[in-house]
Structures are given as structure tokens and as C-alpha cells.
DNA sequence: CAGCTTTTTTATAAAATCTTTATATCGTAG
DNA sequence: CTACGATATAAAGATTTTATAAAAAAGCTG
């Protein structure tokens, strides 16, 4: 394989230069972008193996850039953030960042993270089916089976279940779920979620009163887990 | 790895000499600076593994030096202060110091702190996860494990634990913790902090009555440490 | 349009979490 | 030793969040 191609999106020319030197010295191809907008368009044209994104961008908020790139970009994204940005980092991870570093950071650590991210083989979310515990979701036929028995789900229930199953083990926030299923205009309609989660539980849980598959994370969201 | 390089910034020649001897005898490289300005420029050129900074400097206030160095310097900074400087210490920690010692201090303690700060040269966690002692925090899934066993934490407990873990070894002031977790309007609600620290201890400490992971720094804050 | 399904809204009980209070404990200064 | 300020902790009280059924509205389909 060729030398991996890394796209650096950072508005600070100093940092950009430093990163370029460091990364090239470690055997990577490097491309640069100074703004979020530029970054998005370059990423689209060169398809880098990894994106290094500084969250403190001037034109678009780094989070927005992240979300936008993530819509079609599957390779790892490593974000840089200032030390104080606790919240920011959590948001970034929610928005699809694979890893993060806080500035100031050590060069060795940066390189190690980059290596580790690149090594990780693309899982690629294009599976024809998802199986988790007793549940099997055929994404092509759009059929869900529980212990081999076909479940009757409405379109919304199905979309929600697929979203959960694709993110097994991790907490999905109310916001995220609402945005993905109903759209960004529904961020405060958490009641929808409660209703649909209850319906799903009624159909997939052994004992809907003591849910084990879709677990509540109070004040945060829900977590889908199967197989302990 | 080489012998760690320590930069001592102190205006008192007596103390400087003493520190130099002590540190060299323990196997460290040592550089000296007598003023804040000098300290900054030396630090910039030699990139020490640790900075030992006396807050009572003549030319610039120690706090200023601290802030300035912290803009680009990522390695640990240990500050020295006189016993009465309660306020001073809190400021220093908020300005990015990793740890502090009050004069007069015992040599053994100084060396222990130095060792502990240096040891924490990130071995690089793989994914966005933090591991510290028996604790493992998966920031993506938002799962905390203690000896492999999943802990049930509320959102606030989780946020607090993450904040601690991301600043391992470092004293976090009450103010800082309150501001980060509850917001700037809660700076005087230190009781919240006590309650939640107690709850966390109950969940992660072997013996909550003799906490080893979240340690109280009376009148200042708390320190999260694992591995001594 | 009539009948069926699905989504959205409403209502209410139950659960979980946060906040406050009360009391005990600890450590230090005098 | 005593008193005081700071800390620890349980537990009560208040508030928010969640679960669920069921009614109302909206969509579909033939």
C-alpha cells in the first residue's frame, strides 16, 4: 500500500506547518486546509485516509465541519481541541470523531494516535444484515426477526431499531436519536422517543418491564446491548 | 529512554543549588533559570520533561510565567509556594500547574511528586478511552468499568469522573470542578462536590473510608490518582 | 370516502436523579 | 484539650425524567 494520506484542517499556520513537518517526517502524505469549508471540499476530492481536524476553526464551527464530513466520509477523523473544551470533546465524539487530542499535546502522542487509527481496518457500515443476540435485522429485505419469528414493525420503529443496532453498546443521546429519526427540528420532542422505545420494547424485550436490550440512561439517552 | 530533563525556575540561589544537587543525585538532568523570563526562554529551547517553578519570582509574577509557558508547553509543571499562599496555589492550579508543594517541603516528598508526574508519560490509550489503574472509561460508549465490571453512574457522576480521569495526578480546584460540571453559576456550591465525590468513592474505591483514587486536597480541591 | 394503520399528543403514575439538610468526622490553630 | 472550619455521608425532600396507555390526528389504500 502507498503512504497514507492525511488531511490537516487547521486555521493556525504555525500549527499547520508543524504538523506538516512532523507527519511528513513520519512517512505520511499530507494535505492542508485552512478553513472548514476548504477542508470539506479538499476531503471530497482527495479522499484522505485520515483527517486531522482542529475544532477551533474560524469560519464554521469545527463541530459543523465534523458533522458535514461525516455524512459521507468513512475514514477516521482525529480532532484537536483546547484543554478546557471538555464539553466540546464529548460533542465531537458524538458527532463521529474517532479520537481526540487536547492542545498542547506531545508530538509522540499525536503520531501514536494517528498510527493506531490508521491501523484499524475500516469496518464499513454496509452490512446486509445485523445480528445481535436473538435479533436479526435484514437490512436489504427490511425484515426483523426475533428468535426466527418475523416482527411487524412500523417504518419509524424499524428505523429506530436499525439505528440502535448499528451502535450496539454505546449510549445514543436523545438529541442524536431525534435528529437521526425525526430530523433536526424535533430535538425537543423527547416524548416521541419514549413512546417509540416503549413500543419497541413491547416487541423485542422478554420482559418489557425490565428491559435488557434497550436500556435507559437517565437524562442522557438509551443504549442498545445484546449478548451482555 | 534518556534521563529526564528538569528545568528549575527559582530566584533563590540557595534553593536552586539544593534542588540541583538533589535532583541530579536522583538521576535527572537539570537546567536552571533565575528569573521568569529566563525560564520561559530556556524552556522553549530545551523542552524539559518537567518544570519546577517557584511562584515567588521577582521579575514576573509566577502566575504570569505559568500562564505564558502553558500556552505551548504540555509537560508537567510543579509549582513551589510558601505555606501561606493558599490563594496562590489555587490560582496556579487553575493556570495549568499539575501539582504543588508548599515550602518548607521534605526532599522525599519533592522527589515523589516529580517521579509521579514524570511517570505519566501517556503510553497512548488506543481508542478514545481512559485507563487508570483498575478503571477503564470508554468515552464513545460512555461505559465505565472497574476491574472489568460495568459501573452504573449517573450523568453527573460520569462527567465528574471523566473530568478527573482526564487530569490524572493533577489537583483540580473546587472552583474548576464546579465550573466545569455545574457551570459558572455554581462556584459556591462546594457541597455538591462533596456529595458527588462521596458517591463516586462509594463506587470506585476499595475502601471509601480511606480513599486512594480520589484524594482530598484540603482547602484546595481533589486529586485523582491511580497507581500510587 | 371508509376503514385501517401509523404518528402525534395528552395524561398520569412511577422511577431516577438532583438538591438540600442534618449530623458526624477530621485536622489544625490556639 | 477545645474550638473552629472544612470535609464526609446518609437520608429526606424536591424536581425532573421516564414509562405507558390511550385518545386524537394524520396518512394510506383500495
Amino acid at each position: 500500500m502507498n503512504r497514507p494520506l492525511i488531511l490537516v484542517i487547521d486555521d493556525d499556520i504555525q500549527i499547520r506547518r508543524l504538523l506538516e513537518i512532523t507527519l511528513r517526517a513520519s512517512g505520511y502524505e499530507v494535505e492542508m486546509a485552512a478553513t472548514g469549508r476548504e477542508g470539506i471540499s479538499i476531503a471530497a476530492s482527495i479522499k484522505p485516509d485520515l483527517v486531522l481536524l482542529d475544532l477551533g476553526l474560524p469560519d464554521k464551527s469545527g463541530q459543523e465541519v465534523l458533522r458535514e464530513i461525516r455524512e459521507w466520509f468513512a475514514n477516521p477523523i482525529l480532532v484537536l481541541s483546547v484543554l478546557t473544551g471538555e464539553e466540546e470533546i464529548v460533542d465531537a465524539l458524538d458527532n463521529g470523531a474517532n479520537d481526540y487530542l487536547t492542545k498542547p499535546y506531545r508530538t509522540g502522542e499525536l503520531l501514536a494516535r494517528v498510527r493506531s487509527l490508521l491501523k484499524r481496518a475500516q469496518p464499513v457500515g454496509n452490512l446486509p444484515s445485523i445480528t445481535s443476540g436473538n435479533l436479526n435485522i435484514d437490512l436489504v429485505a427490511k425484515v426483523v426477526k426475533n428468535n426466527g419469528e418475523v416482527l411487524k414493525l412500523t417504518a419509524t420503529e424499524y428505523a429506530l431499531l436499525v439505528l440502535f443496532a448499528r451502535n450496539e453498546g454505546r449510549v445514543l443521546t436523545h438529541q442524536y436519536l431525534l435528529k437521526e429519526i425525526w430530523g433536526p427540528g424535533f430535538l425537543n420532542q423527547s416524548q416521541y422517543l419514549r413512546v417509540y422505545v416503549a413500543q419497541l420494547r413491547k416487541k423485542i424485550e422478554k420482559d418489557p418491564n425490565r428491559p435488557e436490550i434497550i436500556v435507559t440512561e437517565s437524562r442522557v439517552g438509551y443504549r442498545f446491548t445484546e449478548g451482555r
Side-chain angles (χ1 to χ4, degrees), chain A residues 10-208:
Chain A
D10 199 312
D11 61 311
D12 184 337
I13 179 140
Q14 305 272 17
I15 295 183
R16 235 160 41 225
R17 211 167 266 161
L18 176 67
L19 286 173
E20 178 163 18
I21 294 169
T22 310
L23 291 170
R24 278 197 200 287
S26 302
Y28 300 109
E29 280 303 328
V30 183
E31 282 293 326
M32 296 286 162
T35 67
R37 191 147 293 302
E38 194 189 347
I40 292 173
S41 83
I42 294 183
S45 66
I46 68 172
K47 307 264 171 57
D49 297 297
L50 182 146
V51 168
L52 230 163
L53 171 67
D54 190 329
L55 287 179
L57 288 172
D59 57 340
K60 292 191 145 204
S61 107
Q63 303 287 347
E64 251 178 90
V65 175
L66 184 54
R67 266 196 301 275
E68 207 165 310
I69 288 189
R70 245 316 165 242
E71 283 173 17
W72 49 268
F73 184 78
N75 288 341
I77 300 176
L78 173 57
V79 300
L80 302 178
S81 155
V82 292
L83 185 62
T84 52
E86 185 71 17
E87 179 104 7
E88 198 173 53
I89 286 164
V90 175
D91 287 348
L93 292 172
D94 282 344
N95 282 331
N98 296 79
D99 202 351
Y100 70 93
L101 269 177
T102 49
K103 296 184 287 192
Y105 50 84
R106 294 183 201 66
T107 305
E109 186 165 3
L110 169 70
L111 290 172
R113 301 260 163 149
V114 167
R115 258 196 313 277
S116 145
L117 285 174
L118 285 173
K119 200 168 48 187
R120 203 171 302 289
Q122 282 21 294
V124 173
N126 274 347
L127 307 166
S129 77
I130 306 172
T131 301
S132 173
N134 295 326
L135 274 181
N136 174 272
I137 306 174
D138 184 332
L139 293 171
V140 179
K142 298 194 177 177
V143 172
V144 180
K145 291 181 184 175
N146 196 12
N147 294 316
E149 182 187 351
V150 176
L151 290 185
K152 179 159 170 41
L153 300 179
T154 73
T156 308
E157 289 165 2
Y158 176 78
L160 186 57
L161 181 60
V162 169
L163 187 54
F164 273 130
R166 279 209 166 110
N167 293 282
E168 179 176 343
R170 61 182 279 198
V171 175
L172 301 180
T173 62
H174 299 134
Q175 293 201 338
Y176 176 78
L177 292 164
L178 288 164
K179 181 160 65 66
E180 290 297 313
I181 303 294
W182 283 273
F186 292 71
L187 289 183
N188 46 355
Q189 300 289 324
S190 13
Q191 185 56 22
Y192 283 22
L193 260 182
R194 297 200 189 100
V195 171
Y196 275 87
V197 165
Q199 281 168 5
L200 274 181
R201 280 173 174 162
K202 223 168 6 178
K203 296 182 181 181
I204 67 176
E205 295 278 1
K206 212 172 289 179
D207 177 4

